[in-house]
Amino acid sequence: MGKSVENFEQEFAAYCGVSHCIGVANGLDALILILEAYKQLGHLADGDEILVPSNTYIASILAISKARLSPILVEPDDATFLLNPKACEAAITPRTKGILPVHLYGQLCDMKAIGGLAARHDLLVIEDSAQSHGAIQGDKRSGALGHASGFSFYPGKNLGALGDGGAITTSDDDLATAVRALRNYGSHKKYENLYKGINSRLDELQAAFLSVKLKDLDADNARRRAVAAEYNARIRNPAIILPQSITPNAHVWHLYVVRCSERNRLQHYLAEHSIQTVIHYPIPPHHQQAYSEWANISYPISEQMHAEVLSLPISPVMTSAEVESVIDAVNSFS
Ligand SMILES: Cc1ncc(COP(=O)(O)O)c(C=O)c1O
């Protein structure tokens, strides 16, 4: 927690358009610490319900469980993969205290609708921005679209360190003060401990790397958009459903996720053509052994997505020839 962390925190807060950025060890800790801080401030209590999409990466849900809150899974919008505000509204109970929208695959959720819903029901909005660094909705960036936001800087992210890292962004002064203490053994002042905190520091070296890489984030996202635009325009295969992007700036294409009813055969076919693909994610959270209490609940939209999704290669360093070979291979699949 030296000068490089402090510099990066200031730069990233300014980039996101918020008053505070607090560096932490990883994205999961970022979400846990936000929720813990809200508990310390008296805004949340053990067992309160937090709405979260049923098709997210498990870390979003683990954070809620780790903070001893109750994750309530909400089915996503079938076309965009994103949290569905109408389904959220239907899931609200007197115990609901927050919504955790996940900007999955790099596309921002409809934060206007979610913000309106939260205001009407007096709910906290905690963004999971682990996949959406730099995405813009209206005139605000990911990280400034809720009450607080958690970021991951895992190396594969749009803004990635050279090892693990994470951050919390917020314009709530009280929350920022509580999170700063909680990430540092619960201490505001050396050897004085206000909370039972943890050690979750952003490493000084990683912060220095992040400051360098932040300068390239917008250009990297522009290149990702250009690759996605090529795929959108030129992948023509009736067996494949292309991803939907609502407004161009709201998507930073962390992943380019297509759907195919014969997903496993498609993945095998592309591998034979030297194209590596990944499934994000093969098992829905409610079918994970860690959440065996949900084993008998059905989330059909999420289940179908998990059976059909496949992430094609996308990155700011892809060459035009590489993009071309992906398009040719996908179009030749039958
Ligand atoms: C949506 C989402 N939330 C949270 C996380 C957790 O971030 P980290 O791996 O830095 O703990 C990830 C990371 O992969 C993620 O994709």
Side-chain angles (χ1 to χ4, degrees), residues 32-55:
I32 295 172
L33 286 166
I34 293 169
L35 297 168
E36 286 288 355
Y38 276 129
K39 288 178 81 178
Q40 295 295 346
L41 295 171
H43 298 307
L44 293 175
D46 276 1
D48 282 349
E49 294 178 356
I50 309 289
L51 308 182
V52 62
S54 54
N55 62 326

Side-chain angles (χ1 to χ4, degrees), residues 18 33 42 75 77-78 97 107 113 128 143 163 179 191 204 214 223 228 236 238 243-244 250 270 280 321:
V18 292
L33 286 166
E75 285 272 69
D77 180 278
D78 196 21
K97 293 287 153 34
Q107 179 158 225
D128 184 336
V179 165
Y191 304 129
E204 191 69 2
L214 179 58
R223 175 66 190 141
R236 290 276 171 268
Q244 272 199 19
L270 293 176
H280 296 95

Side-chain angles (χ1 to χ4, degrees), residues 109-162:
C109 300
D110 182 349
M111 295 305 285
K112 209 169 159 204
I114 291 168
L117 185 63
R120 285 199 299 283
H121 295 270
D122 198 18
L123 307 176
L124 293 166
V125 178
I126 298 129
E127 290 177 84
D128 184 336
S129 300
Q131 303 187 359
S132 56
H133 317 67
I136 299 175
Q137 198 166 83
D139 57 356
K140 289 191 176 161
R141 282 194 197 272
S142 190
L145 292 159
H147 296 106
S149 178
F151 284 89
S152 164
F153 303 126
Y154 178 80
K157 304 298 187 193
N158 289 39
L159 178 60
L162 276 71

Side-chain angles (χ1 to χ4, degrees), residues 165-214:
I168 289 142
T169 56
T170 185
S171 289
D172 178 336
D173 297 345
D174 294 339
L175 183 75
T177 305
V179 165
R180 277 189 193 286
L182 280 167
R183 74 160 173 190
N184 183 37
Y185 314 105
S187 171
H188 284 103
K189 206 170 155 202
K190 206 161 187 179
Y191 304 129
E192 287 183 26
N193 299 76
L194 195 56
Y195 310 116
K196 297 184 186 83
I198 57 168
N199 168 7
S200 182
R201 291 187 285 252
L202 174 61
D203 184 79
E204 191 69 2
L205 268 178
Q206 300 306 337
F209 293 136
L210 287 166
S211 283
V212 174
K213 293 186 75 182
L214 179 58

Side-chain angles (χ1 to χ4, degrees), residues 26-28 31 56-57 59-60 102 128 130-131 152 154 157 165 281:
N26 56 64
L28 175 58
L31 295 172
T56 185
Y57 179 57
S60 324
V102 182
D128 184 336
Q131 303 187 359
S152 164
Y154 178 80
K157 304 298 187 193
Y281 300 94

